[in-house]
Amino acid sequence: MLKHMKLLAAAAVALTTLLPSTGAYAEGLIRISQQFGTLYLPLHVIRDQNLLEKHAKAVGLDEIKVEWAQLSGGDAINAALLSGSIDIAAAGIGPFLTLWGRTDGSVKIVAGLANQPNYLISSNPNIKSLADFTANDKIALPAVGVSVQARILQMAAEKQFGEGNHNKLDNNTVSLPHPDATAALLSGSTELTSHLSNTPFQEQALKDPKVHKILSSYDVLGGPVTPTYLYATTDWREKNPKTFQAFFEALKEASTWIEANKKAAAETYIRVEKSKLDPAFVQSLIESPDNKFTVVPTRSFAFADFLYRTGAIKKKAESWKDYTFEELHNEDGS
């Protein structure tokens, strides 16, 4: 009997790791996670301009309570979403698709954050391509195995070394938040020689003449990519339709505003992040033709196809619309 009870308890624990918690939902409350970098600028604008409060009133909510959590790495963010500690997760397409597959589609993308490249950069002058990495050269990224940077590296490895070799550099990777990885790379660490980064950290590091770029995610994917997404459980959306709509409308307004007000957007980033970066430098990044703030997913399906084909996820997507909420379905996404 005791053994049977232990097995039931173990099964219950296993189930909670696969199914989102549904106990903490309340219309008019929204808890949003974010990470590091200018990719998250739409969330800064929402916060700075009280756009959620504005759109909550427009959909008939008298008030809305907004809570923000800064987390790093897809594993931590997915765990927070599954446990019910956050309602909107902000993480890369890799962690999202992992969770979408594990929960049999009970999480979906609300929107993309921006099209923005990720650079693999290095302080080791001997590393000119992926073929030059030795076992001693460590590559920092936010979460080993599941982050969008981890998946970009695997896709690049397959391109470099051939099908079946996508995980050739997995043992070279270590988990570090972007700010810490940038600091370690610039410190001249002998072990951490590379970083699969994002903006503004990659451009900040490249100002150092000892650091050079090996590749861009745009090279690997064949064009602009939306690397990071906002996603939620289908249960939360169904139980909180007004809160969901207020968030979606606020996000669309924030993205449109950034594209039309790039100098002011850079100032917002500096103010909300309490960043010491030069506002003109941040503005130059936002104005780069490689950057576009839009809610519409770009090349997400390339990741879904790759993860299914390599066995990282067991659920097959036939289209990018399979794992996104219907509010995006009239857009020209991919």
Side-chain angles (χ1 to χ4, degrees), residues 91-108:
I93 185 67
F96 162 72
L97 286 168
T98 299
L99 192 60
W100 176 76
R102 284 177 60 205
T103 61
D104 196 27
S106 62
V107 295
K108 288 189 175 182

Side-chain angles (χ1 to χ4, degrees), residues 77-278:
I77 290 160
N78 283 349
L81 187 67
L82 283 175
S83 70
S85 333
I86 58 172
D87 305 309
I88 300 289
I93 185 67
F96 162 72
L97 286 168
T98 299
L99 192 60
W100 176 76
R102 284 177 60 205
T103 61
D104 196 27
S106 62
V107 295
K108 288 189 175 182
I109 286 172
V110 178
L113 280 167
N115 293 347
Q116 204 173 85
N118 294 95
Y119 296 162
L120 175 59
I121 57 179
S122 181
S123 59
N124 183 343
N126 296 321
I127 299 176
K128 300 294 193 297
S129 76
L130 298 189
D132 298 323
F133 278 90
T134 71
N136 296 322
D137 294 305
K138 297 303 178 184
I139 306 167
L141 37 76
V144 166
V146 298
S147 66
V148 64
Q149 288 83 6
R151 299 308 187 186
I152 289 166
L153 184 64
Q154 290 178 341
M155 294 167 94
E158 182 179 74
K159 195 172 180 180
Q160 173 89 43
F161 304 112
E163 194 168 333
N165 291 296
H166 58 278
N167 57 1
K168 189 175 178 69
L169 293 173
D170 283 5
N171 289 338
N172 291 74
T173 60
V174 295
S175 297
L176 269 183
H178 289 309
D180 297 341
T182 303
L185 191 68
L186 293 175
S187 73
S189 162
T190 55
E191 188 174 77
L192 183 65
T193 61
S194 302
H195 178 199
L196 223 167
S197 189
N198 75 352
T199 298
F201 303 104
Q202 57 199 19
E203 291 84 1
Q204 185 182 1
L206 285 167
K207 285 185 170 186
D208 189 318
K210 296 191 298 292
V211 178
H212 63 282
K213 181 171 79 170
I214 299 168
L215 58 80
S216 164
S217 58
Y218 283 18
D219 303 328
V220 178
L221 275 293
V225 179
T226 309
T228 302
Y229 291 84
L230 299 164
Y231 50 98
T233 67
T234 56
D235 189 69
W236 180 80
R237 180 189 182 279
E238 288 166 6
K239 292 180 178 177
N240 300 272
K242 291 182 178 180
T243 307
F244 179 95
Q245 195 61 33
F247 177 73
F248 185 70
E249 295 300 329
L251 189 67
K252 286 198 298 181
E253 181 175 340
S255 296
T256 301
W257 182 85
I258 293 167
E259 286 295 305
N261 301 275
K262 294 183 177 180
K263 183 176 186 295
E267 292 166 353
T268 298
Y269 177 82
I270 297 291
R271 182 169 58 253
V272 175
E273 282 286 313
K274 298 180 174 59
S275 173
K276 295 181 181 179
L277 291 173
D278 178 4

